[in-house]
Amino acid sequence: MARAQFQKGQKVWVECVGAWAQIEKVQPVWAKGFDEPVRVTYDIGLGREFVASELFLPVEDPTDADLGQWRMLRARNKWQAAEDVPHHPFPGTYPVVVTDTQDWGGWRVPGAEYDRDPQRIEYQARLIAAAPRLMAVAQALVDAVAENPEDAPPECLSLARQARDALRTVTDILSAPPEALLAPPSAPGSASGDAVTRPGAASSARRTTVRAA
């Protein structure tokens, strides 16, 4: 038996389309002789019905914790001698960003890429190293506005929404919904709700109502 894993109005990621959508209808598929639906599909306004395996929920990444202190260090340029690259901001070295207490992990670029535009790479390195602090500032703004949204100026509300959306691109990941998230819909003929077509009905698709999942 199938149970609804999403509910009406829920925001979902449609993997085969590569876009976000909203559940417009939860559509149980009934079969004669069964008290519960044999399948549940979802109308998300994209021209066809989708099954749960095609849809994903945004959830907070469990690894989102203390990021520590990201740092920009300078590594020796093994590909070019300092006298050969006087146009570099720091001839003989290039920037690396480390994100681990043991100076491991992080970000770096190949020597050829650094040589192509060293000033831009230096800027990127500084920005990446500052990312945890910038995230903390953005989260503090969101939290401050959320405490008293009625008293916040419109400009602050707009900035807080932008900060929240930017943070979610980092902290949220896609996840399949848990099994049997919701109770199964009632059989046709029960309390009012979304109308669905029961398979096996007469040619003039008989409409029945079920309690919305």
Side-chain angles (χ1 to χ4, degrees):
M1 295 298 98
R3 295 195 176 191
Q5 295 172 264
F6 301 95
Q7 57 187 347
K8 184 176 179 179
Q10 201 164 22
K11 181 181 179 181
V12 293
W13 175 261
V14 190
E15 184 65 24
C16 62
V17 178
W20 291 101
Q22 193 173 62
I23 302 292
E24 296 183 359
K25 285 184 181 180
V26 179
Q27 303 183 135
V29 179
W30 301 94
K32 186 175 181 179
F34 292 92
D35 294 331
E36 296 182 6
V38 295
R39 186 163 59 96
V40 178
T41 62
Y42 305 90
D43 182 353
I44 57 175
L46 294 180
R48 72 170 176 87
E49 297 176 2
F50 289 78
V51 296
S53 61
E54 299 176 284
L55 308 175
F56 294 85
L57 290 173
V59 297
E60 190 169 341
D61 191 339
T63 61
D64 178 28
D66 183 14
L67 296 176
Q69 183 181 4
W70 294 11
R71 307 169 303 288
M72 189 179 80
L73 306 179
R74 306 210 65 83
R76 184 175 63 86
N77 188 340
K78 299 179 291 184
W79 305 278
Q80 297 163 309
E83 56 270 18
D84 296 333
V85 286
H87 62 290
H88 285 189
F90 302 92
T93 66
Y94 68 100
V96 299
V97 177
V98 294
T99 58
D100 185 85
T101 55
Q102 302 298 322
D103 291 345
W104 293 350
W107 169 93
R108 64 194 65 202
V109 297
E113 186 174 342
Y114 177 73
D115 188 53
R116 184 169 56 87
D117 194 343
Q119 284 78 13
R120 184 179 182 83
I121 298 300
E122 294 280 349
Y123 187 95
Q124 291 175 356
R126 295 193 300 271
L127 176 60
I128 294 171
R133 284 170 287 156
L134 294 173
M135 284 186 64
V137 171
Q139 188 61 58
L141 172 62
V142 172
D143 294 342
V145 171
E147 286 183 4
N148 295 289
E150 297 83 4
D151 297 333
E155 296 81 3
C156 288
L157 286 171
S158 177
L159 288 172
R161 292 191 190 101
Q162 294 178 54
R164 178 199 60 197
D165 292 344
L167 288 169
R168 284 178 176 171
T169 65
V170 178
T171 61
D172 285 3
I173 58 175
L174 297 175
S175 174
E179 289 294 330
L181 178 66
L182 304 172
S186 299
S190 64
S192 61
D194 285 349
V196 298
T197 303
R198 182 177 179 179
S203 56
S204 59
R206 178 162 54 92
R207 305 293 287 183
T208 62
T209 59
V210 299
R211 175 162 48 86

